[in-house]
Amino acid sequence: MEDNRVFNFSAGPSMLPLQVLRRAGAEITNYRGSGMSVMEMSHRSKVFDEIFQGAKEKLRRALKVPQEYEILLLQGGASTQFSAVPLNLISATGRADYAITGNFANIAFQEAKKYGAVRAACSSADKGHTYIPRQEELDLDPQASYFYYCANNTIYGTEWHYVPETGAVPLVCDMSSDILSTPVDVSKYGLILAGAQKNMAPAGLTVVILRRDLAGHELPITPLMLSYQRMIDKDSMYNTPPCWCIYILGLVLDWVEEQGGVEAMEANRRKRAELLYETIDGSRLFTAPARADSRSYMNVAFRTASDELDAKFVAESVEAGFTNLKGHRLSGGMRASIYNAMPMEGVERLADFIRRFDRAN
Amino acid sequence: MEDNRVFNFSAGPSMLPLQVLRRAGAEITNYRGSGMSVMEMSHRSKVFDEIFQGAKEKLRRALKVPQEYEILLLQGGASTQFSAVPLNLISATGRADYAITGNFANIAFQEAKKYGAVRAACSSADKGHTYIPRQEELDLDPQASYFYYCANNTIYGTEWHYVPETGAVPLVCDMSSDILSTPVDVSKYGLILAGAQKNMAPAGLTVVILRRDLAGHELPITPLMLSYQRMIDKDSMYNTPPCWCIYILGLVLDWVEEQGGVEAMEANRRKRAELLYETIDGSRLFTAPARADSRSYMNVAFRTASDELDAKFVAESVEAGFTNLKGHRLSGGMRASIYNAMPMEGVERLADFIRRFDRAN
């Protein structure tokens, strides 16, 4: 690979397009004649405002975000949103539903208990979070202020391949690990949140897309920086935003657009994931624990029947130049995270490596 | 100036040392043989852990932070700390004292009212925040859980040149705009907070230094990401930290150390500020509104007697290649922010420009 770069299968932060990194490097001491780095610009300056508004507009275009939705560029990661969502939205009825399909959905659920009466509308804990419950398995509260789910479970390698039907109850979705990898009908959601560090930008930026009418109802105890209404009023600049991350987001969105938009990202992610799942399914040693209808296109979790063999695979993969294939400590086994910026070549090489290991062991 | 860079007098984000930007640019696609950018690294990886622990150790060394203090590397800016401070500390007695010496101190004060009984221990609002009250002017509550003040007021150009004596009441200080510019006796404080975007790193990183015994007493409504104890337990990595900003912080700390540490920064900031104040005091047209004993070494606020002349000065300064000299909308006039990375040459040229304008108008 160019510049002696590795194929990095990290669950996040993860690979960025090489052209984005090169562009950022080329203008790091002097951004396009401004005489300064993006890292040095006043966030209130005209030159930064163009970067900021540009990133928002490109994101709106990429995801076809309707005009009645605000795009907020925030700090704190999805974990901060685990608090912000109930603080801002639960006052509608004091109640909310959560779909417990993995570690982060469960943390969000536990956090929301501080601020209202929340229920598990479903849980996949009975089978180690290896599947996504079907629509008819959702136990829905029609009085919930919102229904919360996590679109893709990074640790367990599962993904929702349908949008839950919840009637008048607004959908809140954590899309941290699959945003920009597939088309989304934003109008079906009340709020979408996503940490940037998988498909969008370096860690330190959190995107929130919300229907404007849902803001303005926060609990009085809401910390000032967690109020959606305040952030709408200040166009995400109540204080200094994470300027560098926003700049990189803009460059990544240029790249996505050049590649053909989220439709092209969807085609690419299918190619990547299908090759890996076919290789695993066709092997003697490896299995993918996720149920067939729930497999993630972003995080391919797989394993052998033996912890020793898993450890051997991971050790040999590092020697072969692949990084971060070890599974999360909660799930064990292996995990290949294949976000937008992972080149097909990296996946092909990994598939070859899996096949060779399968024959040799 | 090299690379066609400008002298950027922005109040923040602001200039970074050129050698830091060049180093970051040189390794942006492949950090020291890792095969990846710092922006792409798993925050749990060995290579990033070295960057992370290195930045913490260098900061501890630079500020001589005693071992009973934790260093947290967080997101959300000082404005998030305006909530986190009372949420974590006010339970001791339910009361806290605030010194209202400027805009941000006042926002912190208003925010803390959500979480406890807070009092203004002093206020400089009577004279447009142009001075810092003296020790004997502080109306101290011996039962306060903490005494809060903002070390340097960016907007009004004032700075505390003494550390308040508050007996057993812990000092909480917002050092966003003067941290690393001067030696600090950390042992006098309970908690120090600082947004990074002036003297330390790009926007998106917030440093908190706190005495360990003050953590662990947060209110039950505290959002999970705002709990100091949780962040201590997770070494600031409950979720993905702002990795790129932490990396740049490490490079900036290398630069500070090479320059001679905070003692050298203190000598430099005096030289910069004294030249500007002498130039202003020696002029016919210009005055610095801050009281002589309260003048900031970081933000030199100055003005003429006429708004029109101020506007003319700002317009001509832009033509002359200086950026961001316009004062904040709350204060009007002009402001030269001269943080650690502002070269002496920039200040000398600005002083010349002020003298020329003074003669010509």
Side-chain angles (χ1 to χ4, degrees):
Chain A
M1 201 178 167
E2 292 174 286
D3 290 16
N4 284 319
R5 285 167 52 81
V6 293
F7 293 110
N8 172 12
F9 292 89
S10 169
S14 46
M15 293 185 83
L16 288 163
L18 184 54
Q19 76 173 57
V20 167
L21 297 173
R22 284 183 175 154
R23 178 81 187 248
E27 54 200 26
I28 201 166
T29 61
N30 188 341
Y31 174 80
R32 304 180 195 183
S34 65
M36 58 183 92
S37 176
V38 173
M39 289 184 263
E40 304 175 296
M41 289 175 182
S42 167
H43 56 299
R44 310 282 180 200
S45 64
K46 193 162 172 294
V47 59
F48 184 72
D49 190 58
E50 282 170 15
I51 292 170
F52 183 84
Q53 299 302 339
K56 280 179 57 181
E57 282 159 22
K58 287 181 255 187
L59 188 57
R60 192 175 285 278
R61 201 156 60 230
L63 294 177
K64 298 187 176 66
V65 179
Q67 284 309 315
E68 65 269 30
Y69 286 73
E70 293 282 343
I71 295 175
L72 302 178
L73 302 179
L74 308 174
Q75 293 187 57
S79 298
T80 298
Q81 295 306 312
F82 296 167
S83 317
V85 164
L87 281 164
N88 284 273
L89 304 188
I90 210 165
S91 74
T93 64
R95 290 151 63 175
D97 274 356
Y98 279 71
I100 316 299
T101 55
N103 181 58
F104 293 105
N106 188 50
I107 295 173
F109 175 55
Q110 301 303 331
E111 177 69 3
K113 288 179 180 173
K114 289 178 188 165
Y115 308 113
V118 295
R119 282 167 71 248
C122 65
S123 170
S124 53
D126 59 333
K127 291 178 184 164
H129 295 308
T130 53
Y131 70 103
I132 300 297
R134 299 189 176 91
Q135 173 73 41
E136 59 273 20
E137 296 174 291
L138 305 180
D139 172 25
L140 299 171
D141 173 4
Q143 294 299 310
S145 301
Y146 58 89
F147 174 93
Y148 181 104
Y149 75 110
C150 180
N152 181 88
N153 301 292
T154 328
I155 295 176
Y156 300 98
T158 62
E159 189 171 7
W160 290 68
H161 293 300
Y162 71 98
V163 179
E165 290 285 347
T166 55
V169 173
L171 280 179
V172 173
C173 186
D174 176 355
M175 293 191 187
S176 292
S177 48
D178 63 359
I179 195 164
L180 282 185
S181 75
T182 185
V184 175
D185 182 353
V186 173
S187 72
K188 289 190 173 175
Y189 295 86
L191 187 152
I192 292 166
L193 65 100
Q197 67 273 17
K198 297 163 197 281
N199 278 313
M200 295 198 285
L205 172 65
T206 315
V207 170
V208 169
I209 302 171
L210 85 158
R211 224 176 58 210
R212 208 169 287 118
D213 63 288
L214 292 174
H217 314 289
E218 67 265 30
L219 300 177
I221 54 165
T222 304
L224 74 90
M225 288 290 290
L226 270 57
S227 158
Y228 294 138
Q229 187 60 53
R230 179 172 282 106
M231 286 299 161
I232 291 172
D233 293 345
K234 296 291 185 179
D235 197 8
S236 303
M237 288 212 211
Y238 180 81
N239 69 352
T240 318
C243 303
W244 178 259
C245 297
I246 292 167
Y247 158 63
I248 301 289
L249 171 63
L251 297 182
V252 168
L253 286 163
D254 289 340
W255 175 83
V256 169
E257 206 161 307
E258 282 166 35
Q259 301 289 307
V262 290
E263 291 76 12
M265 296 297 115
E266 165 73 14
N268 291 344
R269 76 177 200 149
R270 283 185 182 265
K271 264 189 241 162
R272 285 192 298 263
E274 283 165 7
L275 174 56
L276 286 185
Y277 286 120
E278 280 165 17
T279 305
I280 291 159
D281 292 344
S283 75
R284 290 180 307 117
L285 294 175
F286 298 96
T287 54
R291 197 171 72 189
D293 67 352
S294 307
R295 286 174 165 182
S296 166
Y297 289 110
M298 296 279 106
N299 312 97
V300 176
F302 60 106
R303 65 194 321 153
T304 69
S306 138
D307 289 347
E308 289 70 33
L309 212 50
D310 287 352
K312 188 177 181 217
F313 179 90
V314 170
E316 291 184 9
S317 75
V318 173
E319 283 166 38
F322 303 101
T323 69
N324 294 304
L325 282 168
K326 192 177 178 191
H328 192 277
R329 64 183 162 74
L330 289 177
S331 61
M334 284 77 73
R335 172 176 54 174
S337 295
I338 45 175
Y339 301 115
N340 283 354
M342 170 60 69
M344 192 63 199
E345 184 195 348
V347 177
E348 285 163 355
R349 288 208 198 173
L350 176 58
D352 283 346
F353 180 78
I354 291 171
R355 280 190 291 263
R356 282 202 306 277
F357 188 92
D358 192 56
R359 281 195 298 270
N361 288 277
Chain B
M1 201 178 165
E2 292 174 287
D3 291 16
N4 284 318
R5 285 168 52 81
V6 294
F7 293 110
N8 172 15
F9 291 90
S10 169
S14 46
M15 293 187 81
L16 288 164
L18 185 53
Q19 75 174 57
V20 167
L21 297 173
R22 285 183 173 155
R23 178 79 187 248
E27 54 200 24
I28 202 168
T29 62
N30 188 341
Y31 174 80
R32 304 181 196 183
S34 66
M36 58 183 94
S37 177
V38 174
M39 290 185 261
E40 304 175 296
M41 289 175 182
S42 168
H43 57 298
R44 309 282 181 201
S45 64
K46 190 162 175 296
V47 60
F48 184 73
D49 190 58
E50 282 169 16
I51 293 171
F52 183 84
Q53 299 302 339
K56 280 179 56 180
E57 282 160 23
K58 285 181 259 187
L59 188 57
R60 190 175 288 277
R61 201 158 58 229
L63 293 177
K64 298 188 176 67
V65 179
Q67 284 308 315
E68 63 270 28
Y69 286 72
E70 293 280 343
I71 295 176
L72 302 178
L73 303 178
L74 307 174
Q75 293 187 58
S79 297
T80 298
Q81 295 305 312
F82 296 167
S83 317
V85 164
L87 280 165
N88 283 274
L89 303 188
I90 210 165
S91 73
T93 64
R95 292 151 61 173
D97 273 357
Y98 279 72
I100 316 299
T101 54
N103 181 56
F104 294 105
N106 188 49
I107 295 173
F109 176 54
Q110 300 303 331
E111 176 69 3
K113 290 179 180 173
K114 289 178 188 165
Y115 309 113
V118 296
R119 281 168 73 249
C122 66
S123 171
S124 53
D126 59 331
K127 292 180 185 163
H129 295 307
T130 53
Y131 70 103
I132 299 297
R134 299 190 177 90
Q135 173 72 41
E136 59 273 22
E137 295 174 290
L138 305 179
D139 171 25
L140 298 171
D141 174 4
Q143 294 299 309
S145 302
Y146 57 89
F147 174 93
Y148 182 104
Y149 76 110
C150 180
N152 181 87
N153 301 292
T154 328
I155 294 177
Y156 300 98
T158 62
E159 188 170 7
W160 290 67
H161 293 300
Y162 71 98
V163 179
E165 290 284 347
T166 55
V169 174
L171 280 180
V172 173
C173 185
D174 177 355
M175 294 191 187
S176 292
S177 48
D178 64 0
I179 194 164
L180 281 185
S181 75
T182 184
V184 175
D185 182 353
V186 173
S187 72
K188 289 191 173 174
Y189 295 85
L191 186 151
I192 292 166
L193 65 100
Q197 68 272 17
K198 297 164 197 282
N199 277 314
M200 293 197 286
L205 173 65
T206 316
V207 170
V208 170
I209 301 170
L210 85 159
R211 223 176 59 209
R212 207 169 288 118
D213 63 288
L214 292 174
H217 313 288
E218 67 265 29
L219 299 178
I221 55 164
T222 305
L224 74 89
M225 288 290 289
L226 270 58
S227 157
Y228 294 139
Q229 187 60 54
R230 179 173 282 104
M231 285 299 162
I232 292 172
D233 294 344
K234 296 291 186 180
D235 197 9
S236 303
M237 288 212 212
Y238 181 81
N239 70 352
T240 318
C243 302
W244 178 259
C245 296
I246 292 168
Y247 157 64
I248 301 290
L249 171 62
L251 297 182
V252 169
L253 287 163
D254 289 339
W255 174 83
V256 169
E257 205 161 309
E258 283 165 35
Q259 302 290 308
V262 290
E263 291 76 12
M265 296 296 113
E266 165 72 14
N268 291 344
R269 75 176 201 151
R270 283 186 182 265
K271 264 188 245 165
R272 284 193 298 263
E274 283 165 9
L275 175 56
L276 286 186
Y277 286 119
E278 280 165 18
T279 306
I280 291 159
D281 291 344
S283 74
R284 290 180 307 114
L285 293 175
F286 298 96
T287 54
R291 196 171 73 189
D293 68 352
S294 307
R295 286 174 165 184
S296 167
Y297 289 109
M298 297 277 107
N299 312 97
V300 176
F302 60 106
R303 64 194 321 151
T304 69
S306 138
D307 290 347
E308 289 69 32
L309 211 50
D310 287 350
K312 187 177 181 216
F313 179 90
V314 171
E316 291 184 9
S317 75
V318 173
E319 282 166 37
F322 303 101
T323 69
N324 294 303
L325 282 169
K326 191 176 178 192
H328 191 277
R329 64 182 163 74
L330 289 177
S331 60
M334 285 76 72
R335 173 176 53 173
S337 296
I338 45 175
Y339 301 115
N340 283 354
M342 170 61 70
M344 192 63 200
E345 185 195 348
V347 177
E348 286 163 356
R349 289 208 198 174
L350 176 59
D352 283 346
F353 180 79
I354 291 171
R355 280 189 292 262
R356 282 202 307 276
F357 188 92
D358 191 56
R359 282 194 298 269
N361 287 277

